[in-house]
Structures are given as C-alpha cells and as structure tokens.
C-alpha cells in the first residue's frame, strides 16, 4: 500500500501500461493523446504565475540589482559555453559512428514535411529575438510565453525592489500567492501517472516500434551521445563544486519519469524549480536560471539538431567539409536558442539550418518523422537535467547554495559532510 502512494512507482507503472497498450491495442492507444495533453495543459496553467512569483520574490529578496545583472550574465555565458560543447560532442560522435551510412531513403516511410520546410525558410531570427520583449504583458501570460514572462518578471522585480520598504506589503502578498500556486501544483501532480500513460500509449500506438528499426542506428547514436554528455560533461561540472550528479538525478527522478512519459520538459518545469530551492539553491538564482535556460540552454535539442543534420548529409552522400561543419555549428549556436519558442520547433529549426547550409535536401526531414517522437524523450530529459545542473553551478558560483540544506535533503550526516567539504 505504501508503494502505491509513491509517485515514482505509479508513474513507472503508468509508462509500462502505456507501452503495452500502444503495442497491443494501437487503435485505442492513439485516442488516448488527450490524457497526456490534459496533464500538460494543467501544468502550463500554473507555469507562468509560478515563474513570475519566483523571479519577483527572488529579486526583491536579493535586493542588490547589480547582483541580478551579474547572475543573469553568468547564466548566459554558461549557457553558451555548455551548448557549444554539446554541439561539438554531437558533431564528433556523428562523424565517428556515421549513423546515416547505408540508410536507404526508400526503406523509411516518409511524410509531408512541406510545412516545416516553408516555415524554416521563412524564419526571421531577428524577429524572434525582438519577440523576447512582450508588447503586451497580459498576452504573454495568456499564451504562456516563458521568455516574455521572464523579461516582464525581471522588470517587475526591479521596480518592486526600488520601492524599498513601501513594497513589503506587496511582497508578503506574493509570498502567500506563491504558496497557493505550489499547492495547486501538488494537486495537479496526482494526475501525473494518467498523463504519462496517455502520452506513452499515444506514441507507441501511432508510430509503432517497427518504425524504429530502419533508423535504429541513429536513435542509438543520439541516446548514447546524450548519456555521455550527461554523465561526463555535466557530471564534471557538478564535481567541481563537489555535488553528486547521481544524488541530484535521484532527487528529481519523478520529474524525469514524467518528462519521459509526456515527451515534454514543460511538464516538470515548476516541480524542478521547487525542488532546486529545496535542494539548497536560492530562489533568486532558480527564478533567473531555469526560465532563461528553457530557451537558451537546450543541450538535448542542440545535440539532436547537429546529429540530425550530419545524419541527413550522410544519407544523401554529401561529404561535408570542415568549413561546412563549422558553419553548421555557428548556425545552430543561434537557431537552437529559439527552439523552445517555436511550434513544431525541432523540424522548423532543422529546416532553417538545412536551408542556410544549402547542400542537404530539406526533403530529407521526412526520414526523421517516424522516430522524432521517440527521440523527443531523450531531448527533453537532457534539457531538464542540463538546466538543473546549470542552476546548481550558478548558485554555487554566486555563494547562493545552502550546503547544509543539500546534505540534509540527500540524507547525509551534516558533520561528515562539513568535514569533507572545503569552503
């Protein structure tokens, strides 16, 4: 009975049942998509208010506006360095394993990619970056545009901080509102197994495990690369501050399973923010880094985009020169930053990259349609782990990480931890 009350266990059971339902009853499974969509919509309902309140309270509690700018600057620098590493790793592995060699385009069931190709050709990235600043704050909240909410929240927090003591009554009201929204989130999380079941059943039922066989090498290469990135690069980043990656992953295992079931990193965004505060990161750092990272620190998406580009080049026998590969890295350093803000983002960003390179047929995207959903889980999980690590790193770097709280939450003896940890 105690096991059934464990959310991790219930989500695991739901994912297993979803896979079995999708495999044995595909027609029924494809009709279960609304279950996953319902859960994601419930999460989206509280994302914008939670981000707004977390950022505003974090900045107002920080008090020092120079510190706010410093934390934001460090976060953006960190994002650029780490995503560049992700691009290079993806490029190197794709060239070493060469997953596109021997793939026959006729052996893979394609699909209509014209919509992605047209949107990719017409993408105006200058317009995207202008879009970061909301012309209507209410619209930003209504549409759940996280980046726009982030910008408005920072400005609101700065304005509230400049009020000094006069702003304290409003801050206290926001504190109470924050608790209300996190209580709503706790109620919504009861439906997490249902969302994971619906999302997984739909994926298996619609696309089927058979679609994986022709592109199994690509999937294996992408998954292997992301595992290497997480357990080598991100692990080394945390080890610098003597934080255990395994312990952190165990702490957020429920959120990772929800992301696995729903194929959406949004489904775990508020919970991860709450857990990072519980783990010892200050509210101000969490509020700035996580929402910004959602658009600027998409490690999993970055790896997938560069590997998919090289894969398609190999399929069509295009021998990319070093200069062309460096060009791809340069393009993706910009285009991948907008992936979270565009509907159908993966294919649209990939189409815009292929259009810019001009040596790989954009029609090749049809090869990826059948397996993209299966790789979406890996992208989303890597993205959310990457942003979790980024937050812990920035919090430590800023001296905004409570080591005693971290040790207490992860069940370590405080005396032993303080003996082994050098401040």
């Amino acid at each position: 009975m105690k096991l059934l009350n464990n959310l991790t266990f219930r989500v695991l059971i739901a994912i297993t049942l979803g896979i079995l339902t999708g495999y044995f009853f595909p027609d029924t499974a494809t009709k279960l998509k609304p279950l996953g969509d319902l859960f994601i919509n419930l999460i989206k309902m509280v994302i914008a208010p939670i981000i707004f309140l977390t950022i505003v309270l974090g900045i107002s509690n920080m008090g020092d506006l120079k510190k706010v700018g410093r934390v934001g600057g460090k976060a953006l620098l960190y994002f650029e360095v780490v995503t560049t590493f992700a691009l290079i790793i993806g490029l190197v592995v794709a060239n070493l394993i060469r997953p596109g060699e021997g793939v026959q385009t006729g052996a893979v069931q394609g699909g209509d990619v014209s919509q992605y190709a047209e949107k990719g050709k017409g993408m105006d990235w200058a317009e995207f970056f202008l879009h970061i600043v909301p012309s209507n704050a209410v619209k930003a909240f209504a549409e759940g545009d996280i980046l726009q909410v982030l910008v408005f929240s920072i400005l609101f927090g700065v304005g509230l901080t400049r009020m000094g003591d006069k702003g304290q009554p409003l801050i206290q009201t926001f504190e109470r509102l924050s608790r209300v929204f996190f209580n709503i989130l706790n109620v919504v999380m009861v439906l997490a197994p249902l969302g994971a079941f619906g999302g997984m059943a739909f994926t298996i039922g619609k696309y089927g495990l058979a679609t994986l066989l022709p592109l199994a090498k690509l999937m294996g290469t992408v998954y292997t690369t992301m595992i290497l990135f997480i357990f080598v690069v991100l692990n080394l980043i945390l080890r610098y501050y003597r934080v255990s990656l395994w312990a952190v992953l165990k702490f957020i295992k429920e959120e990772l399973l929800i992301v696995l079931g729903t194929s959406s990193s949004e489904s775990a965004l508020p919970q991860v923010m709450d857990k990072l505060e519980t783990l010892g990161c200050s509210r101000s750092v969490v509020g700035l880094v996580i929402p910004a990272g959602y658009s600027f620190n998409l490690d999993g998406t970055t790896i997938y985009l560069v590997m998919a580009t090289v894969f398609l080049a190999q399929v069509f026998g295009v021998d990319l020169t070093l200069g062309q590969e460096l060009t791809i890295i340069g393009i993706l350093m910009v285009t991948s930053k907008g992936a979270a803000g565009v509907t159908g983002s993966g294919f649209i960003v990939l189409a815009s990259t292929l259009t810019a390179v001009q040596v790989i047929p954009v029609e090749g995207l049809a090869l990826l349609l059948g397996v993209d959903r299966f790789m979406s889980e890996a992208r989303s999980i890597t993205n959310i782990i990457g942003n979790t690590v980024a937050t812990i790193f920035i919090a430590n770097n800023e001296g905004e990480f409570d080591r005693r709280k971290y040790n207490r939450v992860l069940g370590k003896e405080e005396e032993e931890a303080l003996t082994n940890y050098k401040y």
Side-chain angles (χ1 to χ4, degrees):
M1 199 65 185
K2 186 177 179 181
L3 193 61
L4 289 175
N5 291 328
N6 184 287
L7 181 60
T8 303
F9 176 75
R10 283 185 282 136
V11 172
L12 271 173
I13 293 297
I15 290 173
T16 304
L17 290 175
I19 293 172
L20 294 174
T21 303
Y23 184 77
F24 290 107
F25 310 102
D27 291 337
T28 302
T30 54
K31 298 174 183 177
L32 298 176
K33 187 174 184 289
L35 294 178
D37 291 344
L38 172 66
F39 175 70
I40 293 174
N41 286 343
L42 285 169
I43 294 292
K44 285 182 176 180
M45 177 179 68
V46 296
I47 283 179
I50 284 177
I51 287 176
F52 172 75
L53 293 168
T54 303
I55 293 174
V56 170
L57 291 171
I59 291 175
S60 59
N61 290 332
M62 191 181 289
D64 185 358
L65 296 181
K66 289 183 179 178
K67 189 175 182 180
V68 175
R70 187 174 67 246
V71 171
K74 283 182 179 179
L76 291 176
L77 179 61
Y78 172 95
F79 295 159
E80 195 56 57
V81 170
V82 175
T83 51
T84 301
F85 263 108
L87 279 169
I88 294 171
I89 290 171
L91 188 65
V92 169
V93 174
N95 277 301
L96 286 175
I97 299 180
R98 305 189 69 80
E101 284 190 346
V103 175
Q104 300 296 320
T105 57
V108 185
Q109 185 177 1
D112 183 17
V113 295
S114 58
Q115 56 174 323
Y116 304 114
E118 288 303 314
K119 288 180 180 179
K121 290 176 184 177
M123 287 195 76
D124 186 342
W125 290 101
E127 185 178 333
F128 167 77
F129 285 107
L130 285 175
H131 175 73
I132 290 173
V133 180
S135 59
N136 186 322
V138 176
K139 184 180 178 183
F141 279 87
E143 295 182 349
D145 193 318
I146 292 177
L147 203 51
Q148 289 191 348
V149 171
L150 169 67
V151 172
F152 175 75
S153 303
I154 291 172
L155 293 174
F156 195 101
V158 169
L160 186 58
T161 301
R162 289 170 65 90
M163 289 179 66
D165 293 338
K166 293 180 180 178
Q168 284 303 313
L170 188 55
I171 291 173
Q172 291 172 5
T173 300
F174 282 174
E175 288 279 5
R176 295 187 183 98
L177 280 173
S178 179
R179 286 196 288 272
V180 169
F181 276 104
F182 275 109
N183 283 335
I184 293 173
L185 182 64
N186 291 335
V187 174
V188 171
M189 287 306 295
V190 174
L191 298 175
L194 193 64
F197 168 73
M200 187 58 73
F202 168 76
T203 299
I204 302 297
K206 181 173 182 179
Y207 299 103
L209 297 176
T211 60
L212 306 182
L213 297 178
L215 301 180
K217 190 175 181 182
L218 172 63
M219 277 197 65
T221 305
V222 170
Y223 270 78
T224 301
T225 305
M226 292 188 186
I227 290 171
L228 285 173
F229 177 78
I230 292 169
F231 291 103
V232 177
V233 177
L234 297 184
N235 187 33
L236 288 174
I237 289 172
L238 286 187
R239 281 176 65 88
Y240 181 78
Y241 284 113
R242 298 192 180 189
V243 174
S244 168
L245 175 65
W246 281 108
V248 171
L249 294 182
K250 184 179 179 182
F251 185 60
I252 62 169
K253 62 181 180 298
E254 292 170 356
E255 287 69 33
L256 296 180
L257 285 172
I258 291 169
V259 170
L260 175 65
T262 60
S263 294
S264 170
S265 56
E266 275 188 339
S267 62
L269 193 62
Q271 304 93 292
V272 167
M273 292 175 68
D274 187 37
K275 281 199 168 182
L276 282 169
E277 283 190 55
T278 304
L279 196 62
C281 298
S282 69
R283 173 178 285 180
S284 54
V285 172
V286 172
L288 286 172
V289 177
I290 289 289
Y294 183 78
S295 284
F296 296 107
N297 189 42
L298 302 173
D299 301 324
T301 303
T302 300
I303 290 171
Y304 168 74
L305 289 172
V306 71
M307 296 190 79
T309 303
V310 176
F311 166 79
L312 291 176
Q314 293 167 356
V315 168
F316 290 102
V318 178
D319 189 14
L320 295 173
T321 64
L322 178 60
Q324 287 172 325
E325 290 187 342
L326 292 176
T327 300
I328 290 170
I329 288 179
I331 293 169
L332 286 175
M333 283 174 68
V334 178
T335 57
S336 63
K337 299 298 183 292
V342 184
T343 305
S345 58
F347 279 111
I348 296 172
V349 172
L350 190 53
S352 69
T353 305
L354 299 180
T355 302
V357 176
Q358 295 184 340
V359 293
I360 305 168
V362 179
E363 293 73 24
L365 289 176
L367 292 173
L368 302 173
L369 284 175
V371 296
D372 181 73
R373 178 81 183 189
F374 293 98
M375 289 191 282
S376 178
E377 286 91 349
R379 292 199 300 267
S380 299
I381 288 173
T382 305
N383 288 341
I384 206 157
I385 293 174
N387 283 314
T388 299
V389 170
T391 305
I392 295 172
F393 179 87
I394 299 295
N396 273 282
N397 190 263
E398 276 292 307
E400 296 283 337
F401 187 75
D402 190 332
R403 176 64 57 167
R404 290 178 176 83
K405 186 185 266 190
Y406 165 79
N407 291 327
R408 185 169 62 252
V409 167
L410 297 184
K412 295 181 180 180
E413 290 295 331
E414 189 171 301
E415 292 78 7
E416 180 185 346
L418 292 174
T419 302
N420 295 331
Y421 182 72
K422 296 179 181 179
Y423 286 93

